[in-house]
Amino acid sequence: MGISVRVVEYTGQIVTEGGDIGAVIRATSSDAAQYPLLAGVDEYDDTTFNSRQAAMLIAELEQLTAVTDDRNLHEAIAQLITLAKLLVPAPRRPHHRRLVFNGD
C-alpha cells in the first residue's frame, strides 16, 4: 500500500510532491483519539487538508516524532511536516493551498 502526498494550489497546480508516507498512516490509523487527522487519512482514496488543518496536522506529527524511535518513520514525518508547513500563510505565498494524500 502506497500513500503519496502533494501540496496543491487552489488552481490545481502542484507545488511539490512527497514520497510514500504509508508508514506514518499505518502507525497512527488505530489511534484516532491521539491522532484524529492522521487516523482519518483514507488509504484507498484522496484525503485533503487545508491550511487550518495543516497546523493541527503538524502538531500530531510532532507528537508522533516524540514517541517513536523508528528512523524511517522519523524521515517520513519530517517530510510531511515540511510539506504541511507550505500551507501556513506567509508573505508572498498563496493562501489557498491544500495538502492532498493520495491513497492507492
Side-chain angles (χ1 to χ4, degrees), residues 49-98:
F49 294 114
N50 61 33
S51 61
R52 289 182 182 177
Q53 293 165 317
M56 294 183 286
L57 184 68
I58 291 168
E60 286 184 23
L61 291 164
E62 289 172 342
Q63 183 177 2
L64 181 59
T65 298
V67 298
T68 185
D69 294 328
D70 184 325
R71 184 177 183 164
N72 292 328
L73 196 55
H74 275 265
E75 290 174 9
I77 292 167
Q79 174 186 216
L80 272 175
I81 289 172
T82 298
L83 293 172
K85 285 182 177 180
L86 292 175
L87 274 67
V88 176
R92 292 182 278 221
R93 178 182 292 165
H95 295 288
H96 298 289
R97 288 184 170 177
R98 298 170 290 156

Side-chain angles (χ1 to χ4, degrees), residues 9-10 21 29-30 36 77:
E9 298 286 352
Y10 186 70
I21 50 84
S29 65
S30 64
I77 292 167

